[in-house]
Amino acid sequence: MSIQDIQDEIVDEFSMFDDWMQRYEYIIDLGKALPLIEEQYKTEDNIIKGCQSKVWLHAEQNGDKVIFTADSDAILTKGIIAILIRAFSNQKAADILEADTDFIDEIGLKEHLSPTRANGLVSMIKKIKMYALAFNAKN
């Protein structure tokens, strides 16, 4: 499935909720369902700078795909990174680099986050793109 298809799916899912309390609950549920990152990857190098809470993001290449795993010590933040991993993990580095992140605005996420969490979201996206850039340069 392409990144765009996954993003469209996420937008559709969020459109089913009437209000932001339901959406926050859904984001928290997504965070709870996020596969745990291996403890060995919870390092200083994998912490995303610019996030209010601790967020670890690990990436590795499997064939021509980039696989992301993550965790956070804050449940809402964990849900946010879960959404991003769903959209970008198991995709080609070049596709991740070319992908836009308009779906974040479409679901209204940025405008419903505190300024510090919104900054963290931007930092998460930057880190995902930086990993993709590094893997793309290798190929």
Side-chain angles (χ1 to χ4, degrees):
M1 192 180 278
S2 76
I3 293 173
Q4 188 60 57
D5 289 341
I6 296 167
Q7 290 178 352
D8 290 344
E9 217 176 65
I10 294 168
V11 170
D12 287 347
E13 287 167 18
F14 272 82
S15 69
M16 292 188 294
F17 300 107
D18 297 331
D19 61 48
W20 264 92
M21 283 318 295
Q22 291 175 322
R23 289 178 183 189
Y24 286 132
E25 285 174 26
Y26 183 60
I27 293 169
I28 289 168
D29 287 344
L30 292 173
K32 288 178 183 171
L34 182 68
L36 287 179
I37 190 173
E38 290 181 39
E39 280 301 313
Q40 72 196 47
Y41 299 129
K42 282 190 169 185
T43 62
E44 217 31 58
D45 287 345
N46 286 339
I47 285 185
I48 296 177
K49 310 288 184 265
C51 286
Q52 182 181 2
S53 43
K54 284 191 174 171
V55 180
W56 296 271
L57 180 67
H58 173 71
E60 56 191 37
Q61 202 161 14
N62 186 347
D64 63 350
K65 307 276 193 211
V66 182
I67 311 297
F68 293 103
T69 53
D71 196 6
S72 175
D73 61 359
I75 192 67
L76 187 66
T77 308
K78 192 171 177 174
I80 294 167
I81 194 71
I83 291 169
L84 295 175
I85 284 178
R86 181 171 158 199
F88 297 110
S89 191
N90 215 12
Q91 300 288 340
K92 293 179 180 170
D95 294 341
I96 295 168
L97 288 171
E98 288 172 17
D100 65 44
T101 54
D102 293 347
F103 80 107
I104 304 262
D105 295 326
E106 284 183 55
I107 62 177
L109 191 54
K110 223 181 279 178
E111 67 193 71
H112 285 90
L113 294 175
S114 66
T116 50
R117 284 212 203 287
N119 287 344
L121 171 63
V122 170
S123 298
M124 290 178 210
I125 293 167
K126 276 187 190 159
K127 185 86 170 182
I128 286 170
K129 296 274 188 176
M130 281 173 40
Y131 274 126
L133 192 61
F135 287 126
N136 199 45
K138 277 192 201 173
N139 295 336

